[in-house]
C-alpha cells in the first residue's frame, strides 16, 4: 500500500513536467516521410499561412525575422517541429500568444506549447530569430537557400533551402499562403512571390510587402534582395512584376514583354494561368548555375533564353500549381517543363517537337543516360540529372504519339485542373492518362518511367 501510494505520488508530481503526454497528446513526427530528405517537413500539423517579417542588412548579412505561422493540428499535439537550420538563433517562440518551450536538434526546431493542442484546432506559432544565413550544399553539389551576391541575396530553395532563412513545414506537400514584409536599406530592392502590396520608406530603409495569395510549397518561396530595376505593369491581361539587375539591363530590355506570349500559348494548351501575377527576377549571380521556377516569379542567374523562360513559366502549371507528392516524382516537374520548352520552340519556328525528341532518342542504347528510369532518379543526388528532364519529356512525346493530340492535351489540362494548388504523384498521372485515353498504357509507362534501358519505339 505504501509503495503504491508512493508511485502514485511520483506520477502526480511528474505531471506538470509533461502535461501534454498526461493529457493524451503525442509529439508530431520530425519528418514528412520523404525517403530523399527524411527530416524535411514535419508531422502533426498542417501550415496554412506564413506571415514573415524580415529585416536584412546586405553588408553584414544579418537577418532578423519574425515568422508567424498559422497551422491546424492534425492530431492531439504535445509537441511539434519546424525546420530551421542551426546557424540561426531562436530568441523566443509563442503558441497562441503564450510562451512555448523550445529546443534544437540538427535542423529541427522542437516546440512544446504550454498545453496540448487538440486535434483539428487552429493555432498560431510565432518564432523570433536572427543570425547570418547561408546556403546549404545539396547532395548533387549545388547551392540552395540564402546565396549571397555582390549586392544582396539570390534566394532559391529547391530542394532544401527554405530552412536556411525561415522556420516552417518545409516539405512540398504542405502548401500555404504567404505574406512577406521585408525591410532593406533603401539602396536595395526586396522581391518576393505574388503581388506587391506596398513599399514604405523611413529613415533610409524600405519595407516591401508582398502577398502570395495562392497556396505555395516552401521550395518555391523566394525573398531575393539586391540592386534591381523593379517594374509593375499590365501586359495582355497579366500583372507582370519584374526585377532586373542593372548589370544585366541591356540583355533584358524586353524581359517584361516576353511573358504574355508564352503564357497565352501555354494557357491555350494547359488551361488558365494559375496565379494572380507573373514576372521574373534577373539577378547577376554567375556562380549559381541554375534558374528556379519560384512561384509567380522565376529567378534567373542570367538573362534567360527563350527556352529557359518557357521552361520556368511552364513550371507555374507543372511544379508550382500541381506539385509532386515525393521528390522521387520530380519528372512531373522537369519532364513537363522540358516538353513545354519543346512546344514553345516549335511555336516560334525554332525547331519541331519531333526534332527535339529525335535528339534525345538518338543517344545510343549503351549511353549512361538510359540507365536511370525517369520516375526514379535513385536518390537526392539524381534529382536534376538529364534523364529526369529529357527522358521525362520524351516520355510525354511517346504518350502523345500513342494517344493522339486531343487526348494528350486533355490529359495535361485535366492534370492541371484536377490537382490545381495541390500535390499528385506518378501513379495518379498514369491513371489519368489511361482514363482519358481509354487505353491500357501500362507497358509504355513501365518502359519509359520505371525500367532502366532504352525503350523501343
Ligand atoms: N528546378 C530547376 C529548373 O528549373 C532546376 C534546379 C533546382 C536545379 N535546383 C537545382 C538544377 C540544382 C541543378 C541543380 O529546372
Ligand atoms: Zn525545371
Amino acid at each position: 500500500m505504501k509503495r503504491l501510494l508512493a508511485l502514485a505520488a511520483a506520477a502526480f508530481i511528474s505531471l506538470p513536467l509533461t502535461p501534454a503526454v498526461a493529457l493524451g497528446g503525442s509529439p508530431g513526427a520530425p519528418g514528412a516521410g520523404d525517403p530523399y530528405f527524411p527530416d524535411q517537413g514535419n508531422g502533426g500539423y498542417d501550415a496554412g499561412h506564413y506571415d514573415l517579417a524580415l529585416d536584412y542588412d546586405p553588408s553584414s548579412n544579418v537577418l532578423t525575422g519574425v515568422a508567424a505561422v498559422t497551422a491546424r493540428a492534425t492530431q492531439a499535439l504535445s509537441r511539434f517541429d519546424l525546420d530551421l537550420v542551426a546557424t540561426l538563433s531562436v530568441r523566443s517562440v509563442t503558441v497562441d500568444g503564450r510562451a512555448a518551450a523550445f529546443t534544437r536538434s540538427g535542423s529541427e526546431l522542437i516546440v512544446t506549447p504550454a498545453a496540448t493542442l487538440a486535434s483539428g484546432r487552429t493555432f498560431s506559432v510565432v518564432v523570433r530569430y536572427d543570425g547570418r544565413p547561408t546556403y546549404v550544399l545539396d547532395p548533387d553539389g549545388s547551392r540552395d537557400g540564402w546565396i549571397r551576391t555582390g549586392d544582396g541575396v539570390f534566394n532559391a530553395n529547391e530542394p532544401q533551402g527554405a530552412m536556411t532563412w525561415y522556420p516552417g513545414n518545409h516539405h512540398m506537400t504542405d502548401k500555404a499562403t504567404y505574406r512577406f514584409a521585408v525591410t532593406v536599406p533603401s539602396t536595395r530592392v526586396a522581391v518576393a512571390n505574388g503581388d506587391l502590396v506596398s513599399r514604405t520608406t523611413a529613415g533610409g530603409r524600405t519595407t516591401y510587402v508582398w502577398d502570395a495569395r495562392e497556396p505555395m510549397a516552401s521550395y518555391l518561396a523566394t525573398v531575393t534582395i539586391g540592386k534591381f530595376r523593379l517594374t509593375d505593369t499590365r501586359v495582355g491581361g497579366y500583372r507582370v512584376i519584374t526585377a532586373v539587375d542593372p548589370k544585366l539591363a541591356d540583355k533584358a530590355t524586353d524581359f517584361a514583354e516576353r511573358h504574355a506570349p508564352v503564357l497565352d500559348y501555354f494557357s491555350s494548351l494547359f488551361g488558365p494561368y494559375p496565379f494572380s501575377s507573373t514576372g521574373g527576377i534577373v539577378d547577376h549571380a554567375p556562380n549559381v548555375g541554375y534558374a528556379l521556377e519560384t512561384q509567380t516569379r522565376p529567378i534567373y542567374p542570367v538573362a534567360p533564353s527563350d527556352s529557359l523562360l518557357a521552361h520556368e513559366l511552364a513550371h507555374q502549371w507543372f511544379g508550382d500549381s500541381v506539385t509532386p507528392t515525393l521528390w522521387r516524382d520530380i519528372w512531373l516537374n522537369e519532364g513537363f517543363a522540358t516538353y513545354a520548352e519543346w512546344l514553345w520552340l516549335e511555336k516560334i519556328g525554332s525547331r519541331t517537337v519531333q526534332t527535339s525528341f529525335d535528339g534525345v532518342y538518338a543517344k545510343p542504347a549503351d549511353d549512361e543516360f538510359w540507365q536511370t528510369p525517369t520516375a526514379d532518379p535513385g536518390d537526392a543526388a539524381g534529382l536534376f540529372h538529364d534523364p529526369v528532364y529529357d527522358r521525362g519529356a520524351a516520355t510525354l512525346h511517346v504518350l502523345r504519339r500513342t494517344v493522339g493530340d486531343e487526348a494528350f492535351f486533355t490529359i495535361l489540362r485535366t492534370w492541371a485542373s484536377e490537382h490545381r494548388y495541390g500535390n499528385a504523384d506518378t501513379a495518379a498521372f498514369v491513371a489519368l492518362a489511361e482514363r482519358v485515353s481509354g487505353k491500357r498504357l501500362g507497358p509504355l509507362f513501365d518502359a519509359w518511367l520505371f525500367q532502366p534501358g532504352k525503350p523501343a519505339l
Side-chain angles (χ1 to χ4, degrees), residues 56-78:
Y56 184 64
D57 177 33
S59 55
S60 64
N61 189 37
V62 170
L63 174 72
T64 305
V66 181
V69 189
T70 311
R72 199 175 46 80
T74 55
Q75 66 179 64
L77 207 51
S78 59

Side-chain angles (χ1 to χ4, degrees), residues 19-29 43-46 72-80 111 113 115-123:
V21 172
L23 293 171
S26 55
Y45 67 95
D46 182 355
R72 199 175 46 80
T74 55
Q75 66 179 64
L77 207 51
S78 59
R79 189 179 95 190
F80 61 89
V111 178
T116 294
L117 299 161
S119 182
R121 138 109 188 263
T122 297
F123 62 98

Side-chain angles (χ1 to χ4, degrees), residues 357 361 363 365 369-374 391 394-395 398 443-457:
F357 173 84
Y361 199 73
K363 287 183 205 291
F369 173 85
W370 297 109
Q371 286 321 302
T372 306
T374 307
R391 187 171 169 165
T395 302
V398 170
L444 182 160
F445 282 124
D446 191 49
W448 279 92
L449 293 178
F450 299 114
Q451 300 302 325
K454 182 173 177 176
L457 285 185

Side-chain angles (χ1 to χ4, degrees), residues 76-391:
L77 207 51
S78 59
R79 189 179 95 190
F80 61 89
D81 287 11
L82 296 163
D83 302 321
L84 183 71
V85 293
T87 36
L88 296 173
S89 304
V90 173
R91 302 295 170 185
S92 70
V93 180
T94 62
V95 174
D96 287 340
R98 293 173 70 186
F102 63 90
T103 55
R104 314 291 294 274
S105 170
S107 54
E108 302 294 319
L109 165 61
I110 304 165
V111 178
T112 305
T116 294
L117 299 161
S119 182
R121 138 109 188 263
T122 297
F123 62 98
S124 161
V125 47
V126 177
V127 179
R128 289 173 190 277
Y129 64 103
D130 54 63
R132 292 185 168 82
T134 188
Y135 56 82
V136 283
L137 210 51
D138 290 325
D140 65 0
S142 57
R143 291 179 296 168
D144 163 29
W146 197 263
I147 305 169
R148 287 181 84 185
T149 59
D151 58 11
V153 186
F154 180 100
N155 182 219
N157 300 295
E158 188 186 30
Q160 42 173 0
M163 66 180 175
T164 69
W165 59 282
Y166 72 100
N169 197 21
H170 291 327
H171 191 259
M172 59 189 157
T173 43
D174 193 359
K175 296 190 178 190
T177 54
Y178 283 70
R179 166 166 282 214
F180 306 90
V182 190
T183 303
V184 290
S186 297
T187 52
R188 303 297 197 275
V189 174
V191 194
N193 314 85
D195 308 337
L196 179 60
V197 176
S198 66
R199 178 176 16 184
T200 328
T201 298
R205 298 180 70 75
T206 303
T207 300
Y208 292 81
V209 178
W210 298 84
D211 254 343
R213 302 170 203 270
E214 298 93 11
M216 176 164 77
S218 290
Y219 81 90
L220 296 168
T222 190
V223 167
T224 287
I225 295 163
K227 291 180 180 157
F228 286 113
R229 200 176 105 76
L230 192 64
T231 69
D232 184 352
T233 54
R234 287 231 146 239
V235 189
Y238 305 95
R239 183 175 178 187
V240 185
I241 305 178
T242 64
V244 175
D245 189 312
K247 288 199 187 77
L248 298 164
D250 20 318
K251 294 201 171 76
T253 44
D254 55 351
F255 182 56
E257 289 69 34
R258 288 166 67 199
H259 289 70
V262 183
L263 294 174
D264 282 346
Y265 185 52
F266 288 167
S267 302
S268 76
L269 299 175
F270 311 146
Y273 174 70
F275 303 119
S276 60
S277 60
T278 179
I281 305 165
V282 179
D283 200 357
H284 179 65
N287 305 323
V288 172
Y290 65 88
L292 188 64
E293 63 268 25
T294 37
Q295 190 156 304
T296 67
R297 194 150 299 110
I299 181 165
Y300 306 91
V302 291
S305 64
D306 287 328
S307 60
L308 185 59
L309 182 78
H311 181 103
E312 305 308 341
L313 291 180
H315 270 310
Q316 304 304 309
W317 284 262
F318 307 117
D320 295 13
S321 175
V322 184
T323 306
T325 308
L326 290 176
W327 284 108
R328 180 195 295 145
D329 294 315
I330 191 70
W331 84 279
L332 296 169
N333 290 7
E334 303 307 345
F336 285 51
T338 303
Y339 197 66
E341 269 180 68
W342 296 1
L343 290 164
W344 180 246
L345 290 178
E346 178 169 289
K347 170 77 175 165
I348 62 175
S350 153
R351 64 168 191 251
T352 65
V353 171
Q354 187 61 41
T355 301
S356 295
F357 173 84
D358 292 344
V360 173
Y361 199 73
K363 287 183 205 291
D366 61 1
D367 194 307
E368 261 298 300
F369 173 85
W370 297 109
Q371 286 321 302
T372 306
T374 307
D376 186 2
D379 56 30
L383 275 177
F384 303 111
H385 285 174
D386 289 352
V388 167
Y389 290 73
D390 295 340
R391 187 171 169 165

